[in-house]
Amino acid sequence: MFEIQNKIIIVDDKKDQLEKLGKAFFKNGLGCRTFEYSPEYDSPLKNVRIAFFDINLTQRSVDHKYDSSTEIIKHNSSVFNDLARAINQYIAKDNGPFALIFWTANKDVIGAFIEYVQNPRRGYNETPFPVFIGSIDKNEFTDETKTQDLSDRILNIINDDSVKFLFDFEGIVNKSSSETINKFFNIIPKGEIWGDSKEFIDNLGKVLSKLASSTLGFEYAKENPLKAVNESLIPLLNSEISKAESNTNWETILSPLFAAERLSALTLPDQLIQQNVNAIFHLDDTDGNKEYRGTVIEIDKNNKSVINSFNIDNYEFWVQKLLSIKEGREDYKTELFKNSKLIAIEISAACDFSNKKPRINKYILGLLTPIIDIKKDINIKSRIESSYHIGGCSFSFSDKSFQLWLNLNYVFGCSSSDERLSDSLFVLKKEIMDMIGNKYASHISRIGITSF
């Protein structure tokens, strides 16, 4: 399905100015969407990468005869309010990275406007965040003969490293997607009669059906054909992306990488970013189905009969053995136990799950805890051997930060409809499930010694 592209937008209250800037884009072979500003516009756009805004969007005009930002703001608060509101009207809060370019005859007030939006008292804390702010002075292009100069100025902006990056990776993915379709098209027999597509369509269905069922599993492919087809084509897409060329100056963008002498020198700005990255790579939303391999399910820790059914006589003692919180941290321990969840993770073999083989689902017990400072709060030496901190990392999912811990000695089988299993929280992806599988296999196959 073809969708309207919002990559480049222009917002101005004057049609002639929209046409002038729009033609400069078309002259460079670039498409853009122009909007004659309306205070009633209420459909914020997503996936905008460059947004051009005039500063004067209403009948109120900028008074720029002041030297300080404080004075400029004081005498232009209504104009700035209109502009800030317009940015939020036309660009969605979850738009993603974009460059904000002011197409204006009043570029000397841009710094003051930035200060205006930055002030939390103004109420614009959730305004879409531009990664680059620039300007083009309308006064320089009043002469219609300077269309080429305007086109060149636009190209200079687009070729700035900060802006180019916004388009480059998307361009690589889009081009790789096209190459994936082309490569897939070339391997399917098309028949001998030009223009007769029946044989091609038949063969397309056969190839995709085989790939989808082999990737996701025969029965699951029937239940979710789109997911099955998409996952089956990912290796082709990855291959194309890895071969793609880039116009980005990566030595500039990745300056920390090129400046570092060892891996340990590379750090993220804060721990929450690492937690979010971990969630993106390893966690999926749940649709409520508890049979999916990797499904994380909550168990009622306050139900004594449920706890006892897992051969746990004293729940708090079981948790303490698993985590081994240091002595003298009783208040912390009490709060930690209170805010932790008892969980079970579905760990059936991937092949059994994919082929929907008759089975009793295999689950492993564990904990979902708030973030624990391992060095500060845990006695490493006294932790039981079966205690496993998944990935040795933390996650942030649905605005909550947490860690996952397993007790590798507590594995049980039951149907997904077992009353002990409460709500599913999320699903662990294949890579982390493979890691858990390897850890569990290593644990149960360890050599033991029997004494007489």
Side-chain angles (χ1 to χ4, degrees):
M1 179 178 179
F2 293 101
E3 296 181 353
I4 296 175
Q5 296 297 308
N6 302 317
K7 292 288 186 289
I8 301 173
I9 67 169
I10 307 171
V11 181
D12 203 315
D13 62 326
K14 296 181 175 60
K15 283 187 177 181
D16 63 321
Q17 296 296 319
L18 288 172
E19 291 176 0
K20 179 184 292 187
L21 190 54
K23 286 179 181 178
F25 274 100
F26 296 146
K27 193 174 183 66
N28 285 318
L30 299 171
C32 63
R33 292 187 70 185
T34 58
F35 295 87
E36 186 174 358
Y37 176 68
S38 168
E40 283 75 42
Y41 186 85
D42 61 355
S43 301
L45 306 171
K46 289 186 178 182
N47 301 318
V48 174
R49 293 297 173 252
I50 300 184
F52 288 80
F53 277 81
D54 186 10
I55 289 180
N56 290 327
L57 290 172
T58 64
Q59 296 300 318
R60 291 186 279 258
S61 298
V62 169
D63 184 354
H64 56 87
K65 62 185 178 184
Y66 303 96
D67 295 328
S68 70
S69 294
T70 302
E71 286 297 309
I72 293 175
I73 292 174
K74 178 181 178 181
H75 292 87
N76 292 279
S77 59
S78 59
V79 177
F80 287 172
N81 185 67
D82 290 340
L83 177 57
R85 180 173 177 272
I87 292 172
N88 284 276
Q89 281 179 269
Y90 285 86
I91 304 178
K93 291 179 174 60
D94 56 349
N95 170 77
F98 74 104
L100 177 60
I101 311 297
F102 291 105
W103 164 241
T104 179
N106 301 285
K107 68 176 186 177
D108 50 341
V109 303
I110 292 174
F113 172 71
I114 294 172
E115 287 187 29
Y116 179 88
V117 175
Q118 288 173 344
N119 189 331
R121 292 181 300 169
R122 308 293 184 188
Y124 293 110
N125 294 352
E126 296 185 2
T127 297
F129 190 93
V131 297
F132 175 88
I133 295 179
S135 66
I136 297 179
D137 192 339
K138 285 184 179 182
N139 292 324
E140 297 179 17
F141 304 101
T142 55
D143 190 338
E144 291 296 331
T145 62
K146 293 187 177 182
T147 303
Q148 183 59 53
D149 292 341
L150 181 55
S151 297
D152 292 341
R153 179 70 64 84
I154 288 172
L155 282 181
N156 289 336
I157 290 174
I158 292 175
N159 286 319
D160 182 278
D161 285 332
S162 301
V163 179
K164 190 189 300 182
F165 173 72
L166 302 182
F167 288 88
D168 193 43
F169 188 70
E170 276 187 292
I172 287 173
V173 173
N174 290 336
K175 183 178 179 181
S176 297
S177 298
S178 297
E179 291 299 325
T180 297
I181 294 298
N182 292 340
K183 182 175 288 187
F184 188 69
F185 175 79
N186 289 333
I187 67 175
I188 299 176
K190 302 165 186 63
E192 298 179 358
I193 304 175
W194 186 88
D196 185 348
S197 60
K198 183 180 185 308
E199 185 174 347
F200 169 75
I201 296 299
D202 289 343
N203 290 328
L204 174 67
K206 292 175 183 177
V207 173
L208 284 178
S209 295
K210 182 65 175 178
L211 289 177
S213 59
S214 298
T215 301
L216 198 61
F218 181 70
E219 295 295 340
Y220 286 109
K222 289 184 177 182
E223 292 179 7
N224 197 336
L226 176 61
K227 181 179 181 181
V229 169
N230 287 345
E231 289 197 9
S232 70
L233 295 179
I234 284 176
L236 273 177
L237 180 62
N238 284 342
S239 175
E240 293 301 322
I241 289 177
S242 66
K243 295 186 298 185
E245 296 181 356
S246 171
N247 293 318
T248 297
N249 184 345
W250 288 107
E251 289 195 15
T252 299
I253 299 295
L254 302 181
S255 57
L257 172 63
F258 287 94
E261 296 183 359
R262 58 181 65 86
L263 178 61
S264 59
L266 297 174
T267 58
L268 293 173
D270 61 55
Q271 189 61 31
L272 182 58
I273 292 178
Q274 181 67 67
Q275 295 166 12
N276 285 323
V277 170
N278 290 337
I280 290 171
F281 275 87
H282 299 302
L283 306 185
D284 265 337
D285 288 312
T286 176
D287 61 4
N289 190 331
K290 300 172 188 176
E291 287 203 4
Y292 288 140
R293 181 174 183 254
T295 299
V296 179
I297 303 168
E298 185 172 1
I299 294 175
D300 186 0
K301 65 183 181 182
N302 297 313
N303 189 321
K304 188 169 178 58
S305 62
V306 169
I307 298 298
N308 291 342
S309 72
F310 295 116
N311 199 27
I312 300 175
D313 297 325
N314 186 319
Y315 175 69
E316 290 192 357
F317 178 75
W318 185 85
V319 173
Q320 173 58 17
K321 292 291 288 183
L322 181 65
L323 299 179
S324 189
I325 303 300
K326 290 180 178 178
E327 294 182 6
R329 304 276 287 152
E330 297 307 315
D331 290 343
Y332 170 76
K333 186 192 301 184
T334 300
E335 192 67 18
L336 176 67
F337 288 7
K338 176 184 175 182
N339 294 316
S340 297
K341 297 178 186 290
L342 179 65
I343 59 169
I345 299 178
E346 210 284 354
I347 59 167
S348 293
C351 60
D352 293 342
F353 165 74
S354 296
N355 294 305
K356 277 198 167 182
K357 291 182 178 179
R359 71 190 194 281
I360 296 176
N361 295 57
K362 184 184 288 187
Y363 298 90
I364 186 167
L365 280 183
L367 290 174
L368 184 154
T369 72
I371 304 300
I372 300 173
D373 187 326
I374 308 296
K375 294 181 180 179
K376 176 183 176 183
D377 298 316
I378 286 186
N379 189 332
I380 303 296
K381 293 182 179 180
S382 66
R383 261 177 68 195
I384 54 177
E385 185 180 20
S386 58
S387 175
Y388 175 46
H389 177 200
I390 294 182
C393 63
S394 305
F395 304 90
S396 182
F397 192 73
S398 298
D399 297 324
K400 294 182 179 179
S401 296
F402 56 87
Q403 293 170 338
L404 295 170
W405 302 76
L406 295 180
N407 191 322
L408 301 175
N409 283 344
Y410 281 78
V411 176
F412 64 98
C414 69
S415 67
S416 60
S417 60
D418 193 298
E419 293 182 354
R420 294 175 298 177
L421 304 179
S422 298
D423 297 329
S424 55
L425 304 175
F426 48 84
V427 179
L428 299 177
K429 294 182 181 180
K430 181 181 183 300
E431 290 76 10
I432 202 163
M433 283 306 299
D434 290 344
M435 182 173 65
I436 291 173
N438 288 335
K439 182 69 176 180
Y440 175 63
S442 175
H443 176 73
I444 63 173
S445 63
R446 69 196 188 283
I447 299 173
I449 298 175
T450 302
S451 300
F452 296 95

